Amino acid sequence: MSSSDTAPRSSASGRRIVILGSGFAALTAIRELRRVGVREEITVVSPRDELIYLPSLIWIPAGIRKGDDLKVPLAGFFARHGVTHVKAEVQGVTDGGRIVETTQGPVSNDLLLIASGGRYIRKLPGIENAIIPCEGIKAAEALRDRLAALKHGTVAVGFGTNPNEPSAVRGGPMFEFLFGMDTLLRRQGRRESIDLVFFNPSSQPGQRLGPKAVSGLLRQMERRGIRSHLGHKMVRFEPTAVVTEGGAFDADLILFMPGLTGPAWLEASCLPRSPGGFIAASETCAVPGLERVYVAGDAGSFPGPDWMPKQAHQADLQAVAAARNMAAELAERQPDAVFKPELICIVDTLDAGMLVFRDTRRNVVLPRLAPFHALKRMFEARYLKAYRAT
């Protein structure tokens, strides 16, 4: 299947499925579509035919993982599932969702799933002075190299949000980078020479994890001697300082996770948007006002509790619901599958982890235990097994 084909091949029914993106939500949707018996041709439009396993970027600074360990080529997966890959960037969606404008030309569809992810808000002055470690492998490697070269000084770690959609934040990995660096520096005998500071506009950071988790995270910082600068709006980053409305502090290395918003190509699309710049979606992952157009993952704004996360697990749940509804539409049934709001994560510290689970009924927090680190590594291997070549 050529990656240069821009026109999806028709199945016997003539109905064509197009999926934008090749990340967690997109790949889960492909698996679910095939699992429920959909045989129509699926075309994926994305810049790369590989999956980057972003949750394990936290282990690159400590050398537990290298960049190549987190790259999973998808050619084999696409072949096994009858997928045509168009290697292109999306430029817009027009004609009520039926046309996707790409750098390789227009791609038409009968059903569209948008799973192309979001993007970081880069409006904070001086953000070029900070590393956004979850941007990808290069950013995590830059953190690894700069931390290794730092003889003494201060490392500042923080995250922000989308002011127009406060739930559009991904703070969990920043706690993992913070605690992981503390563990690493102690192993290396360097912790006394390098100060760690955590900063956040909220006085109770990580609230989506639940009150018990927030208390546990703050206690963990106190036990580890990690200073905090909380409750002050960020003003700017300087080459060697973090400036907030509550004052500034020196920082030789700044790690920062900005808030999220929707993809830039939405400006040239017919898709409805939320206040925070995401694609508006219903609980069935359908895009309101358009026929046979769905969204899953970070590109969408979904109804649900204010703690509902922007994370791979939630994207997978949304992708399953979207795929089932697409299959229902193909079979001329009512598309009524809904996704479950659910948060599950292990806040890793390199040698242990704290497990957090939350849904509409429960919020469970299990204390930091060594087996949770091993469990996180086991989950990585299990998750990626479905996509590695066989």
Side-chain angles (χ1 to χ4, degrees), residues 79 132 214 268 366 389:
I132 304 174
V214 172
L366 298 183

Side-chain angles (χ1 to χ4, degrees), residues 316-351:
D316 284 342
L317 294 175
Q318 291 160 354
V320 167
R324 291 176 180 175
N325 288 326
M326 294 169 77
E329 296 219 45
L330 288 168
E332 298 184 354
R333 302 193 312 268
Q334 181 67 28
D336 54 8
V338 299
F339 69 88
K340 179 183 179 182
E342 187 173 270
L343 182 155
I344 183 167
C345 69
I346 293 173
V347 181
D348 188 76
T349 62
L350 290 189
D351 55 356

Side-chain angles (χ1 to χ4, degrees), residues 22 29 33 38 47 70 76 110 115 121 136 142 162 195 197 203 211 214 222 246 248 314 354 356 364 371:
S22 54
L33 285 166
V38 171
L70 309 185
D110 295 291
I121 301 172
N162 182 326
D195 195 15
V197 180
S203 60
V214 172
E222 186 176 357
Q314 186 68 77
M354 178 177 73
V356 182
V364 179

Side-chain angles (χ1 to χ4, degrees), residues 122-361:
R122 298 176 172 274
K123 293 183 178 179
L124 191 66
I127 197 168
E128 67 276 6
N129 295 310
I131 293 175
I132 304 174
C134 289
E135 266 194 320
I137 291 170
K138 287 185 178 180
E141 289 175 339
L143 166 59
R144 176 198 62 196
D145 296 344
R146 289 190 57 184
L147 184 64
L150 189 64
K151 302 302 181 184
H152 57 80
T154 300
V155 178
V157 180
F159 61 87
T161 187
N162 182 326
N164 296 315
E165 204 155 333
S167 63
V169 59
R170 186 177 287 128
M174 301 310 287
F175 292 115
E176 295 183 291
F177 279 111
L178 177 70
F179 295 136
M181 285 190 294
D182 178 79
T183 300
L184 176 63
L185 291 170
R186 290 179 187 279
R187 287 176 178 174
Q188 296 172 338
R190 303 167 58 209
R191 181 64 173 89
E192 290 185 0
S193 301
I194 298 176
D195 195 15
L196 296 176
V197 180
F198 179 79
F199 63 97
N200 192 266
S202 172
S203 60
Q204 295 288 305
Q207 294 179 54
R208 290 186 308 155
L209 300 175
K212 290 183 180 180
V214 172
S215 298
L217 292 168
L218 293 177
R219 284 197 302 270
Q220 190 69 212
M221 290 183 205
E222 186 176 357
R223 291 192 191 110
R224 291 170 177 264
I226 297 172
R227 294 192 292 121
S228 61
H229 188 86
L230 305 176
H232 304 292
K233 182 179 179 181
M234 287 167 281
V235 176
R236 66 181 182 276
F237 295 133
E238 297 178 353
T240 57
V242 175
V243 182
T244 76
E245 290 183 347
F249 59 90
D250 293 337
D252 300 279
L253 176 58
I254 303 170
L255 278 64
F256 181 65
M257 179 82 83
L260 294 167
T261 188
W265 56 260
L266 285 180
E267 296 292 335
S269 79
C270 61
L271 303 168
R273 281 176 282 174
S274 70
F278 299 92
I279 301 167
S282 70
E283 61 182 1
T284 65
C285 299
V287 177
L290 300 178
E291 294 185 358
R292 303 183 305 282
V293 178
Y294 291 86
V295 62
D298 287 353
S301 177
F302 303 87
D306 58 6
W307 53 261
M308 194 165 67
K310 290 283 189 186
Q311 65 167 190
H313 176 64
Q314 186 68 77
D316 284 342
L317 294 175
Q318 291 160 354
V320 167
R324 291 176 180 175
N325 288 326
M326 294 169 77
E329 296 219 45
L330 288 168
E332 298 184 354
R333 302 193 312 268
Q334 181 67 28
D336 54 8
V338 299
F339 69 88
K340 179 183 179 182
E342 187 173 270
L343 182 155
I344 183 167
C345 69
I346 293 173
V347 181
D348 188 76
T349 62
L350 290 189
D351 55 356
M354 178 177 73
L355 189 145
V356 182
F357 174 84
R358 191 171 191 179
D359 63 12
T360 54
R361 296 181 294 113

